[in-house]
Amino acid sequence: MTQIDRTALERVIAVINGKGGVLKTTLVANIAGMLAASDFRVLVVDLDPQGNLAEDFGYSDDPRNDEGKALSGALMFGSRPAPIENIRPNLDVLMGGEHLDTAAAGLAAKQAKDPDGSKLALAAILEQLAPSYDVVLLDCPPGDELLQTNAVAAARWALVPVKSDKASRKGLTAVARRLDAVLTINPDLDLLGVVLVDVGTGS
C-alpha cells in the first residue's frame, strides 16, 4: 500500500459536490484570492477536465496553460509537476483541462492492479508540494469518480457547496459515497462545512 505522510496534508481542502453548477470553481477562486491577498501562500489544484478555473483567474490564453498536461502526467506516472507560479501574488496553480480525461482513464486502468494506489495518486503528489504552502485548495470535477476520489483521499477537509434545489441536494449523496470510499486510507478526513450558495424562489 502507498504510504502517505498525512502531516504534510493537514491544510488540504477539497471543494466538492457530485453535481455541476453549484459554484465550486467560483468558491475556490474567491477563497484562494482572499487568502493570497492576506499573505497566505496558496496552491490551487484544478482537477476539472473542463479547466474552468482558467476563466476565473484569467489565464486561458496564457502560454503556460497546458490544459492539465503536467498534472495528468503526474497522476499517471508519479512525477512531480511544477505549479504555475504567481497567477496572483502568493497564488500558484496546478492547471486543469482536457488532458485530465487521459489521467482518469489511466487511473481506472491502474485501479484493477492497485486499488489504493489509484486513489492516492494525488496525495502522493501533494505530499511533495503541500509543505511549501499555507493552504491547498482542490477544485473537484462534478462527475469523474476517480478524480473526485483522489481529491478526498488527499484532503484533510471537504467543503461542500450546495444549492437548495433537489438535484443539488442529491449531489450531497454522491459526496457522502466518495468520503466513505476513502476512510480506510484517509481516516482523518472530515467535513469542513456545507456552503449554501443559492436559494431558489420555490425552495
Side-chain angles (χ1 to χ4, degrees):
M1 177 178 166
T2 305
Q3 296 296 318
I4 300 295
D5 178 10
R6 291 285 170 188
T7 60
L9 305 178
E10 282 292 314
R11 293 183 299 278
V12 177
I13 303 168
V15 181
I16 183 170
N17 188 304
K19 183 183 181 299
V22 294
L23 305 183
K24 290 185 298 295
T25 298
T26 300
L27 192 62
V28 167
N30 280 276
I31 292 173
M34 288 188 291
L35 288 172
S38 299
D39 291 328
F40 290 92
R41 289 279 296 134
V42 181
L43 174 65
V44 175
V45 182
D46 185 358
L47 289 166
D48 194 337
Q50 296 182 45
N52 290 332
L53 197 64
E55 303 297 332
D56 288 66
F57 283 145
Y59 60 75
S60 294
D61 298 322
D62 191 311
R64 298 175 296 174
N65 183 7
D66 68 353
E67 298 288 345
K69 188 174 183 179
L71 180 54
S72 177
L75 287 168
M76 289 190 294
F77 305 116
S79 57
R80 177 173 176 161
I84 304 304
E85 298 181 346
N86 292 314
I87 290 296
R88 298 281 189 278
N90 298 316
L91 198 162
D92 299 347
V93 177
L94 276 177
M95 295 180 175
E98 61 188 21
H99 291 284
L100 287 172
D101 284 327
T102 303
L107 291 172
K110 182 178 180 180
Q111 190 173 31
K113 295 181 179 179
D114 184 6
D116 286 346
S118 69
K119 295 175 183 177
L120 289 167
L122 180 62
I125 295 167
L126 295 181
E127 182 182 19
Q128 305 173 66
L129 298 177
S132 299
Y133 296 93
D134 298 307
V135 179
V136 179
L137 291 166
L138 311 180
D139 185 18
C140 297
D144 189 284
E145 179 179 352
L146 268 174
L147 291 176
Q148 283 190 358
T149 298
N150 261 267
V152 291
R156 174 65 178 85
W157 306 99
L159 183 63
V160 186
V162 63
K163 294 182 178 180
S164 61
D165 61 284
K166 184 176 180 180
S168 296
R169 294 195 302 271
K170 287 173 68 176
L172 291 175
T173 303
V175 171
R177 288 197 300 267
R178 299 289 181 267
L179 301 186
D180 286 344
V182 300
L183 286 179
T184 57
I185 55 175
N186 187 9
D188 293 331
L189 176 65
D190 206 349
L191 182 67
L192 183 60
V194 175
V195 183
L196 184 61
V197 295
D198 189 19
V199 178
T201 55
S203 300

